[in-house]
Amino acid sequence: MTRRIAYQGEPGANSHIVCREHYPDWEALACASFEDVFAAVESGDAELAMIPIDNSIAGRVADIHHFLPDSGLHIIAEHFLRIRFCLMAVPGASLDTIRTVHSHVHALGQCRKIIREHGLTPVIAGDTAGAAREVAEFGDPTQAAISPPLAADIYGLEILVEDVEDEEHNTTRFVVLSRDLVEATAGGGPVVTSFIFNVRNLPAALYKALGGFATNGVNMTKLESYMVGGEFTATQFLAEVDGHPDDIGVRRALEELAFFTTDVKILGVYPADPFRAEVSR
């Protein structure tokens, strides 16, 4: 039986590209929304989910932090994708014929130079790959799309300009989610531990909660806060550290964290993508 991995977006989206790169033998299941992706895994329609969580330009991906804590899913892997966008249009179109360009709002914002250079009118679409599909359906040589190169192949478009993103470092981090808890083994290579917690409503609670990571020499690579329950006094944090909970430093830091927080929950203990080592050189 073919295994399935769910992603948000239409065929040809960046999430689809990551699924093909790292799970080439799996069926990639396109979903309209992140909520649908989570539901597909929770219901068993898919075994895994590929979810974007951070972008080097746009920052954190909205809504993911709302779904993760209560989903019952576990992070089992991470993958980084260098984002590449192409300007594409129907066969026969050219840079001289196009007048408008369709794409997701973030992609349009990340490709301002090409849009400004050719005086194009941006049109917001719900998805980068969906923009390519729409342009193909329109069949209008005055309309173009900014989409991943895979979308051109899928929807029969011609690439007019490659790599139109403004910044070469444009990279998105994806995490793989599973119903089953699969933890990386300690001592088997670089590991990332992701967890959430709520601080007690006390003076300097966050400072005290995080002190254990500093004193135990644990590198914290992410710390993000979110309001929960509609209350300004209830703040939840998503954090990530280098290391395994079985490592003595991480274990002691997590024990100290528990003194000043509530609802500490490990979301995943998984191998660090080699990309991390490359960018830290």
Side-chain angles (χ1 to χ4, degrees):
M1 182 179 296
T2 302
R3 293 174 292 183
R4 306 173 87 188
I5 181 168
Y7 69 92
Q8 187 277 326
E10 298 195 32
N14 284 311
S15 296
H16 186 197
I17 292 174
V18 179
C19 290
R20 285 169 52 124
E21 285 186 1
H22 296 281
Y23 297 86
D25 298 327
W26 291 50
E27 177 187 349
L29 176 64
C31 297
S33 67
F34 288 124
E35 189 172 12
D36 291 339
V37 175
F38 279 79
V41 180
E42 292 167 2
S43 67
D45 287 343
E47 294 177 63
L48 300 177
M50 183 72 74
I51 294 291
I53 194 167
D54 300 297
N55 177 266
S56 61
I57 296 176
R60 72 187 185 194
V61 177
D63 296 334
I64 299 304
H65 58 280
H66 293 303
F67 297 122
L68 269 175
D70 300 321
S71 67
L73 303 183
H74 309 276
I75 302 175
I76 64 169
E78 67 171 357
H79 303 292
F80 289 80
L81 178 70
R82 164 74 164 84
I83 301 300
R84 289 184 166 85
F85 288 123
C86 297
L87 182 66
M88 57 188 69
V90 296
S94 68
L95 292 174
D96 294 327
T97 66
I98 60 174
R99 298 290 181 268
T100 61
V101 59
H102 302 244
S103 197
H104 187 274
V105 62
H106 285 167
L108 293 171
Q110 294 169 16
C111 302
R112 291 190 178 96
K113 293 178 183 178
I114 189 78
I115 295 173
R116 185 169 56 247
E117 179 183 350
H118 294 282
L120 302 176
T121 300
V123 178
I124 296 175
D127 178 71
T128 55
R133 175 185 53 77
E134 291 171 355
V135 167
E137 292 174 350
F138 295 148
D140 184 349
T142 69
Q143 302 189 51
I146 288 177
S147 304
L150 178 60
D153 294 334
I154 291 176
Y155 301 109
L157 300 179
E158 290 185 352
I159 294 178
L160 304 181
V161 185
E162 296 181 329
D163 296 332
V164 297
E165 61 278 1
D166 295 339
E167 304 292 343
E168 292 184 358
H169 64 74
N170 190 352
T171 302
T172 296
R173 175 179 173 239
F174 294 80
V175 292
V176 180
L177 305 179
S178 170
R179 292 187 306 278
D180 300 323
L181 175 62
V182 181
E183 288 193 353
T185 57
V191 168
V192 177
T193 297
S194 298
F195 56 95
I196 55 174
F197 62 92
N198 294 341
V199 293
R200 300 182 186 277
N201 192 21
L202 300 170
L206 180 60
Y207 172 80
K208 295 174 181 177
L210 299 182
F213 295 95
T215 56
N216 286 284
V218 177
N219 183 36
M220 180 168 286
T221 57
K222 176 195 282 288
L223 180 65
E224 296 182 350
S225 62
Y226 315 97
M227 294 298 177
V228 293
E231 300 179 12
F232 287 96
T233 57
T235 303
Q236 185 173 80
F237 291 87
L238 168 63
E240 293 181 348
V241 297
D242 290 339
H244 194 285
D246 289 344
D247 297 341
I248 187 168
V250 177
R251 185 172 71 248
R252 288 175 175 172
L254 290 174
E255 289 172 355
E256 190 165 338
L257 176 72
F259 283 115
F260 303 101
T261 62
T262 61
D263 305 320
V264 178
K265 180 180 180 180
I266 302 293
L267 296 178
V269 181
Y270 48 95
D273 189 285
F275 179 85
R276 289 179 180 266
E278 294 175 9
V279 297
S280 64
R281 291 174 182 171

